[in-house]
Amino acid sequence: MRLDKYLKVSRLIKRRTVANEACDAGRVMINGKPAKASAAVKAGDVLEIQFGTRTIRAEILNVQETVKKEAAQEMYRLL
């Protein structure tokens, strides 16, 4: 799955366009490397997302195309 779509589906970032902008600005990393919005993600990858001065680290647990709002937090684990 594409990184920007995963961020939207998992609700780490609310909109896909915002996820694209964050990736273009270099604020999203996969396993310590800057990632483009089109990068493929898989279970086991570690994401780092910078929101201003705050950084969120999350491990991807599973990848699904669609998920309900209540189950979105089961897609990742905060580190």
Side-chain angles (χ1 to χ4, degrees):
M1 176 185 290
R2 288 174 53 106
L3 175 59
D4 58 345
K5 185 171 182 180
Y6 179 82
L7 292 172
K8 185 219 179 275
V9 170
S10 66
R11 291 171 173 77
L12 285 168
I13 296 180
K14 300 295 181 193
R15 294 188 184 98
R16 192 165 175 177
T17 55
V18 176
N20 271 320
E21 292 169 1
C23 292
D24 291 343
R27 296 193 312 255
V28 181
M29 294 193 206
I30 299 176
N31 298 325
K33 297 178 184 173
K36 294 185 178 180
S38 61
V41 295
K42 61 187 182 305
D45 286 345
V46 176
L47 298 177
E48 289 185 39
I49 308 167
Q50 295 176 351
F51 293 107
T53 59
R54 191 174 61 150
T55 301
I56 292 177
R57 293 188 69 217
E59 179 184 1
I60 297 175
L61 298 178
N62 63 19
V63 178
Q64 299 174 354
E65 292 292 323
T66 58
V67 67
K68 294 188 178 196
K69 184 178 180 181
E70 298 80 25
Q73 290 187 352
E74 297 171 6
M75 294 181 68
Y76 61 90
R77 176 175 52 122
L78 294 177
L79 301 175

